């Protein structure tokens, strides 16, 4: 197939098409992971984005369902240098996702690093894309909304309650607010004998408290956290009533619920090689990350502390505090991380944080 990638600055990149014959719009981002293309494509946090992989060879170890982070692909399109297997091609076709290969992904990545993430259009076609069609495609890119104007979480969150039971005796119970959760997060909790009650992003605080959980976890998810107003309101009402933690967007939503601020990063953090420092212990972990927004260091919620920082750019990678409930002076912890302790793909340096969640829940369990 033929394919073209058009950027909002007018750049036109011709290549070869694979996957579905289709035309999509999205925010063009890059991911630096050397492996994990299946996990990346199926991560719900990539909803609304066209992904460029910096590693040149994609598809060389096939596709297996056990690697999926959700039921299917959530990214809008896929940009790679070399396609090395039919399995990856078929995977995109099955999910109606277009791809382009045979392009200079180093050039694309350097452009994003220089200009920031860009709106883009990816079109793949069995017929050659003529020159006179390009101007119309450029106009479509220019007319496309910025991702900060599109509410994405409702498109990837579960629409009903789902209960995940451990195979052994349940030790603690967690309500997971699903803003686009990765399967690995649920797996990491269940394998620690935690019953996970996965609920929609707009579940009310009362509905959550009625489940009588030992703690609440706010998941990762796509888009601008400021648009997820239902979840922010729920978090406000839960603070101080039980232990709360968050991952990725969960960190940003906690920040907003507590009165802090978030902002959009120039090109985000996406890959499996992000160094994070724990400011309490001084330890450094290599982490997996996928986010385009961050907590504003200059506007940390009052009374809270920055727990982790990214050593590449000193951005906030986590906040924490003991919250005091005014009615009966019960202390309940609130902490969250911007990175992905479950990895998928990436290093497992931070998986111990799931043990910390269980320990926290047991400590404050009624």
């Amino acid at each position: 197939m033929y394919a073209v990638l058009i950027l909002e600055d007018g750049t036109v990149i011709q290549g070869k098409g694979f996957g579905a014959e289709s035309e999509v719009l999205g925010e063009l981002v890059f991911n630096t992971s050397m492996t994990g293309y299946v996990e990346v494509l199926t991560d719900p946090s990539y909803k609304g984005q066209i992904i460029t992989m910096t590693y040149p060879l994609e598809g060389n170890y096939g596709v297996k369902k056990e690697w999926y982070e959700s039921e299917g692909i959530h990214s809008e399109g896929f940009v790679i240098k070399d396609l090395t297997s039919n399995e990856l091609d078929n995977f995109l076709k099955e999910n109606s996702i277009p791809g382009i290969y045979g392009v200079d992904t180093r050039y694309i990545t350097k452009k994003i690093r220089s200009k920031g993430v860009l709106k883009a259009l990816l079109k793949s076609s069995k017929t050659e894309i003529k020159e006179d069609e390009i101007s119309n495609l450029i106009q479509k890119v220019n007319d496309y909304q910025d991702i900060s104007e599109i509410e994405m979480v409702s498109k990837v969150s579960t629409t009903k309650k789902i209960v995940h039971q451990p195979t052994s005796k349940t030790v603690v119970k967690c309500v997971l607010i699903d803003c686009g959760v990765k399967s690995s997060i649920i797996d990491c909790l269940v394998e620690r004998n935690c019953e996970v009650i996965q609920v929609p992003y707009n579940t009310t605080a009362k509905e959550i408290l009625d489940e009588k959980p030992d703690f609440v976890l706010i998941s990762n998810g796509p888009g601008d956290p400021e648009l997820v107003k239902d979840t922010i309101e729920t978090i406000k009402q839960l603070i101080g009533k039980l232990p709360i933690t968050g991952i990725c967007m969960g960190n940003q939503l906690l920040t907003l619920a507590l009165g802090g601020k978030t902002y959009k990063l120039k090109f985000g953090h996406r890959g499996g090689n992000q160094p994070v420092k724990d400011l309490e212990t001084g330890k450094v972990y290599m982490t997996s990350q996928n986010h385009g927004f961050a907590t504003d260091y200059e506007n940390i919620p009052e009374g809270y502390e920055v727990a982790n920082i990214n050593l590449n750019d000193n951005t906030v990678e986590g906040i924490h505090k003991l919250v005091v409930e005014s009615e009966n002076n019960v202390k309940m912890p609130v902490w969250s991380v911007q990175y992905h302790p479950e990895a998928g793909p990436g290093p497992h340096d931070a998986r111990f944080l799931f043990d910390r969640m269980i320990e926290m829940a047991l400590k404050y369990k009624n």
Side-chain angles (χ1 to χ4, degrees):
M1 286 197 296
Y2 300 91
V4 64
L5 179 68
I6 297 175
L7 314 186
E8 65 175 291
D9 66 355
T11 302
V12 177
I13 300 169
Q14 300 278 358
K16 299 175 182 178
F18 72 108
E21 184 179 15
S22 183
E23 177 183 311
V24 295
L25 287 153
E27 182 180 71
L28 184 65
V29 301
F30 66 84
N31 184 297
T32 59
S33 296
M34 294 179 68
T35 61
Y37 50 84
V38 175
E39 294 92 331
V40 168
L41 285 166
T42 57
D43 181 349
S45 294
Y46 280 110
K47 182 67 179 174
Q49 295 177 325
I50 298 170
I51 306 168
T52 303
M53 299 300 289
T54 61
Y55 188 70
L57 307 177
E58 300 297 334
N60 50 348
Y61 55 84
V63 174
K64 289 187 179 180
K65 191 152 189 176
E66 64 196 69
W67 301 331
Y68 288 18
E69 287 294 344
S70 63
E71 288 300 311
I73 296 177
H74 287 283
S75 65
E76 306 302 322
F78 205 36
V79 182
I80 62 175
K81 186 177 187 298
D82 294 320
L83 177 65
T84 61
S85 80
N86 290 330
E87 285 183 82
L88 181 55
D89 182 20
N90 291 332
F91 184 40
L92 264 66
K93 283 178 182 172
E94 290 165 5
N95 286 267
S96 302
I97 303 298
I100 183 172
Y101 73 100
V103 298
D104 188 346
T105 51
R106 182 178 176 84
Y107 166 77
I108 295 169
T109 301
K110 290 174 71 175
K111 179 178 280 290
I112 295 171
R113 282 186 59 90
S114 173
K115 296 195 172 187
V117 292
L118 297 161
K119 293 187 293 183
L121 180 146
L122 172 56
K123 180 181 177 66
S124 59
S125 174
K126 291 179 181 177
T127 58
E128 188 174 358
I129 301 164
K130 302 294 185 181
E131 194 67 34
D132 58 1
E133 187 182 353
I134 297 296
S135 59
N136 291 330
L137 298 178
I138 292 174
Q139 188 60 48
K140 287 184 180 181
V141 177
N142 292 333
D143 292 341
Y144 184 62
Q145 285 179 292
D146 186 87
I147 200 167
S148 292
E149 301 171 334
I150 308 171
E151 192 279 299
M152 293 286 183
V153 167
S154 63
K155 304 177 191 300
V156 295
S157 174
T158 182
T159 57
K160 61 182 180 180
K161 181 174 78 172
I162 304 172
V163 179
H164 306 268
Q165 295 279 5
T167 54
S168 300
K169 183 180 178 181
T170 297
V171 174
V172 294
K173 182 161 63 170
C174 166
V175 166
L176 187 151
I177 302 177
D178 179 8
C179 297
V181 69
K182 292 170 62 181
S183 298
S184 292
I185 292 175
I186 296 171
D187 293 342
C188 283
L189 290 169
V190 170
E191 67 189 25
R192 288 165 172 78
N193 296 325
C194 176
E195 177 184 326
V196 178
I197 303 172
Q198 179 184 356
V199 299
Y201 77 101
N202 56 356
T203 303
T204 66
K206 182 183 183 305
E207 290 170 326
I208 290 173
L209 292 172
D210 285 347
E211 297 288 348
K212 300 190 182 325
D214 298 305
F215 73 104
V216 169
L217 170 61
I218 310 144
S219 85
N220 60 293
D224 189 334
E226 291 189 6
L227 300 181
V228 197
K229 299 188 185 302
D230 288 337
T231 310
I232 293 170
E233 183 57 36
T234 293
I235 296 168
K236 287 179 180 179
Q237 295 177 30
L238 290 174
I239 291 169
K241 293 183 171 62
L242 73 175
I244 302 175
T245 185
I247 292 174
C248 198
M249 177 174 270
N251 179 67
Q252 299 158 22
L253 292 173
L254 267 170
T255 296
L256 295 169
L258 293 164
K261 294 182 179 180
T262 59
Y263 67 101
K264 189 173 184 179
L265 295 165
K266 183 177 181 180
F267 49 81
H269 301 159
R270 298 176 181 89
N273 54 356
Q274 295 283 332
V276 167
K277 183 176 182 179
D278 184 320
L279 297 181
E280 184 178 356
T281 65
K283 290 183 178 180
V284 176
Y285 309 107
M286 294 306 293
T287 69
S288 175
Q289 299 195 15
N290 172 22
H291 61 102
F293 293 82
T295 293
D296 186 352
Y297 214 136
E298 301 302 318
N299 289 280
I300 297 298
E302 185 177 353
Y304 283 73
E305 297 178 352
V306 175
N308 312 96
I309 60 169
N310 188 301
L311 291 180
N312 284 335
D313 58 11
N314 290 318
T315 52
V316 177
E317 292 284 355
I319 59 174
H320 64 179
K321 183 191 177 184
L322 279 179
V323 177
V324 178
E325 185 182 4
S326 58
E327 292 179 4
N328 54 11
N329 204 38
V330 175
K331 293 183 178 180
M332 288 293 177
V334 172
W335 62 272
S336 55
V337 293
Q338 187 58 59
Y339 50 96
H340 282 264
E342 80 287 348
H348 293 177
D349 291 26
R351 278 203 170 181
F352 71 91
L353 290 176
F354 290 102
D355 297 318
R356 184 179 293 177
M357 290 179 195
I358 305 302
E359 291 166 5
M360 171 189 70
L362 287 171
K363 180 178 178 179
Y364 292 90
K365 189 173 182 179
N366 293 327

